[in-house]
Amino acid sequence: MSAREGFLVEESARFFWFELLLLCFLTFLIASAPVIAGNGEGISDTSPGSRRIYSDPFSDEGNSTVARGGTTSIYDPLAPVNRVTFAVNDRVYMYVLKPAGEGYKTVTPRSVRQSVSNFFSNLTEPINLVNSLLQGRPSDAHNAFGRFVVNSTFGLGGLFDPAGEHLKQKEHSFDETFACWGISPGFYVVWPLMGSSSLRGTGGLVLESYADPLNYAEQETVITSWTLKTLDRSVRYIPEYEKMKKHSVDPYIALKSAYEAQSRCGSTR
Amino acid sequence: MRQTVSGIVAVILLSTLLVPAAGAKTPESFIQENVDRVLEIIDDTGWENAERADTLQRRLVQSLRDVFTFRQMTFRALGPYARQISDSQVKTIVPLFTRLLQNVYIERLTSNLSSSSDEYEIEKIKVERAETRGDGRYAKVYTVAYIIRGGEKSTAQLNYKLMQLKAGWRVYDVEIEDVSLVQNYRQQFSNILANNSFDYLIEELRKKLEEKQ
């Protein structure tokens, strides 16, 4: 072997060991990446401030808004008035509807209350059907149609829910339909007694009131059904409302945020 | 020779990347195992015995710590403010918000997941499907809670958002009937911090926790 050949072999061996060391170092670096880059809880990010990750790839607000720091929130120019209505509603819920609901619960057997609830729920199925169609959800429309037919006949006018075993109710409101059509909610509004809504949601409520057959009955029937429906809703929703208040630092915003989430297109209620 | 060694090193390199992934739990199995464990604790018959109830409460809180990343939940609830506060302020708010979230979650599971005041029992929580994003580092697991309320069966949608941490998958948000817990708090915090100091928020959180007790 000539001196030049010897030099080349030596260089080659040196390069080989250098490459081996480099690969080992890379291996170590990649394997320990979460430990080095993370913060102990860590998805990689080395700058101290950015350890406080708050982006959410699943948020409907999109990475964009949340990551950039804003919170997409429904416009609320009536906030001062809304907060007053919210406070008044709160008193009415706590001091009128809650005791009334508890009285109703005491004097009415559970099975009767369940039938009342089923009856009003069944009357919303045509609305669910129409909105499912308007939102392009044939499967949900089929579901609403099936539930309405089965419960109205075998369920004795909706007093029982025999369809519920196989077909779970899927609620779809006009508010949600308008959202699916890309119509903005406009602004947030808190209505006396009815609570959270928006300009878009109010339009939906007006349409839904036209679709409610009980509104076309005689005045006495309308008053009776309204009273029963209010009692039914008080029993069902006031405990939930109380829990929400208990765990919120700002119940007004908490309720507004929940309204936004549930009136979004694709809401799974 | 060089090619052989390079090949071996490359295999080692790949193995270090692939082996933990193969051995790790999927987001679906992580959620299913943990919700089963939490429901098992909730279903324990010992809650009426004060001494046993203390043990169960501790087990429940520990189980939640194994499932949730309360630190990341706090940052997400704070949104952009998470990067504006000092380390000592982080140390103050994380434990407070952790306690509040634990209270919310436990109460949701134990007393009222759906919208009825009637007593009910969660029969089971079943994972339906999952989707991943961010190169598989984030996952959303869709589950259905089966509830028996006054003899009637009903269901509620309960979705978990997870992120891959050093310790494995951890939940950073829960959606109950489409309402995101973290997003709900983010809007509350954001509204408070827009007009008040961080100390005011801390004070409000303390008041809320005292109310609970």
Side-chain angles (χ1 to χ4, degrees):
Chain A
M1 187 187 293
S2 68
R4 180 177 164 71
E5 281 170 336
F7 172 77
L8 283 175
V9 168
E10 201 178 310
E11 266 307 283
S12 173
R14 215 175 282 150
F15 182 78
F16 160 69
W17 286 112
F18 172 75
E19 193 188 40
L20 183 62
L21 272 172
L22 187 68
L23 279 168
C24 286
F25 177 69
L26 280 173
T27 309
F28 166 77
L29 204 64
I30 293 169
S32 57
V35 181
I36 293 170
N39 55 8
E41 272 205 325
I43 289 185
S44 58
D45 211 332
T46 48
S47 62
S50 55
R51 281 183 220 153
R52 299 170 186 179
I53 304 161
Y54 54 83
S55 62
D56 180 1
F58 292 103
S59 174
D60 285 348
E61 291 176 330
N63 274 334
S64 52
T65 332
V66 182
R68 281 204 294 269
T71 48
T72 54
S73 185
I74 185 169
Y75 184 45
D76 192 7
L78 304 176
V81 181
N82 283 341
R83 280 194 184 263
V84 171
T85 315
F86 177 83
V88 173
N89 281 350
D90 182 65
R91 297 288 186 281
V92 175
Y93 296 158
M94 291 300 108
Y95 299 113
V96 180
L97 295 183
K98 187 183 171 187
E102 280 169 359
Y104 170 66
K105 241 178 108 176
T106 311
V107 299
T108 320
R110 177 177 274 162
S111 56
V112 174
R113 290 200 317 269
Q114 186 64 52
S115 284
V116 170
S117 200
N118 288 341
F119 177 75
F120 289 118
S121 174
N122 190 50
L123 289 180
T124 65
E125 291 298 2
I127 294 168
N128 294 333
L129 168 65
V130 170
N131 283 302
S132 299
L133 290 171
L134 292 174
Q135 290 175 31
R137 301 177 195 275
S139 154
D140 289 1
H142 181 257
N143 188 77
F145 180 74
R147 280 182 56 82
F148 187 68
V149 169
V150 171
N151 288 343
S152 300
T153 52
F154 297 107
L156 306 179
L159 292 174
F160 300 95
D161 182 20
E165 189 65 31
H166 300 290
L167 301 169
K168 301 290 174 202
Q169 187 174 46
K170 290 179 181 174
E171 293 175 48
H172 292 297
S173 64
F174 281 107
D175 193 7
E176 191 193 325
T177 299
F178 296 151
C180 292
W181 291 356
I183 298 172
S184 145
F187 54 84
Y188 184 63
V189 59
V190 181
W191 290 111
L193 279 180
M194 287 189 295
S196 293
S197 191
S198 63
L199 187 60
R200 183 187 69 200
T202 304
L205 286 174
V206 171
L207 283 177
E208 278 156 27
S209 74
Y210 279 112
D212 187 345
L214 289 174
N215 285 340
Y216 297 97
E218 287 176 13
Q219 198 178 8
E220 279 177 17
T221 314
V222 172
I223 293 169
T224 310
S225 74
W226 187 86
T227 310
L228 270 175
K229 198 190 280 187
T230 306
L231 288 170
D232 175 55
R233 286 187 174 175
S234 303
V235 169
R236 290 166 64 196
Y237 297 126
I238 286 183
E240 183 72 3
Y241 170 77
E242 279 186 292
K243 279 191 179 60
M244 183 278 302
K245 272 203 318 178
K246 186 174 162 187
H247 295 303
S248 305
V249 278
D250 186 342
Y252 171 80
I253 297 290
L255 210 64
K256 178 169 163 263
S257 174
Y259 164 74
E260 274 186 85
Q262 295 194 324
S263 61
R264 219 176 275 150
C265 179
S267 169
T268 53
R269 281 176 306 151
Chain B
M1 173 67 179
R2 267 180 61 191
Q3 280 176 341
T4 314
V5 175
S6 297
I8 292 168
V9 175
V11 167
I12 295 168
L13 182 75
L14 279 172
S15 308
T16 56
L17 296 174
L18 296 176
V19 168
K25 285 189 174 105
T26 62
E28 295 98 311
S29 64
F30 174 79
I31 288 297
Q32 191 65 70
E33 280 174 26
N34 281 292
V35 294
D36 286 349
R37 189 153 53 103
V38 167
L39 287 180
E40 195 180 308
I41 298 170
I42 289 167
D43 286 345
D44 196 295
T45 50
W47 283 99
E48 284 168 19
N49 175 318
E51 207 174 299
R52 175 83 180 136
D54 272 353
T55 314
L56 288 171
Q57 180 74 22
R58 275 198 299 275
R59 272 182 59 199
L60 191 54
V61 169
Q62 185 53 50
S63 297
L64 296 184
R65 285 184 184 281
D66 293 342
V67 177
F68 291 90
T69 164
F70 290 111
R71 188 178 164 84
Q72 292 294 338
M73 289 176 98
T74 310
F75 291 154
R76 281 172 167 74
L78 284 168
Y81 295 98
R83 292 184 185 170
Q84 294 168 17
I85 58 173
S86 68
D87 286 347
S88 70
Q89 286 174 320
V90 169
K91 279 181 188 162
T92 310
I93 195 169
V94 169
L96 286 174
F97 192 51
T98 298
R99 275 173 57 204
L100 185 65
L101 287 172
Q102 284 171 350
N103 292 344
V104 173
Y105 190 72
I106 290 171
E107 199 159 319
R108 287 276 167 183
L109 279 186
T110 54
S111 66
N112 197 346
L113 208 148
S114 70
S115 52
S116 166
S117 66
D118 289 343
E119 287 175 11
Y120 77 91
E121 177 195 346
I122 298 179
E123 200 180 19
K124 62 182 173 184
I125 294 176
K126 196 177 162 196
V127 169
E128 285 200 316
R129 64 190 171 92
E131 60 175 293
T132 55
R133 288 192 188 162
D135 299 327
R137 294 178 307 162
Y138 291 89
K140 185 171 178 179
V141 178
Y142 296 82
T143 75
V144 175
Y146 291 82
I147 302 157
I148 302 176
R149 185 177 55 230
E152 296 283 328
K153 289 186 175 182
S154 63
T155 57
Q157 192 74 40
L158 197 59
N159 303 330
Y160 296 87
K161 292 179 187 173
L162 301 95
M163 63 195 295
Q164 182 77 265
L165 299 178
K166 196 173 65 173
W169 289 105
R170 289 294 181 271
V171 173
Y172 68 87
D173 193 8
V174 184
E175 287 176 351
I176 303 165
E177 293 287 273
D178 292 321
V179 179
S180 151
L181 203 59
V182 162
Q183 194 173 314
N184 196 287
Y185 278 110
R186 183 164 53 236
Q187 294 201 359
Q188 294 179 55
F189 288 3
S190 168
N191 198 62
I192 288 173
L193 291 170
N195 305 304
N196 301 280
S197 67
F198 183 78
D199 291 340
Y200 178 82
L201 174 63
I202 293 292
E203 206 44 51
E204 289 296 300
L205 282 171
R206 285 208 174 102
K207 274 190 220 161
K208 207 31 84 176
L209 287 164
E210 280 163 18
E211 273 176 32
K212 165 77 184 169
Q213 286 159 359

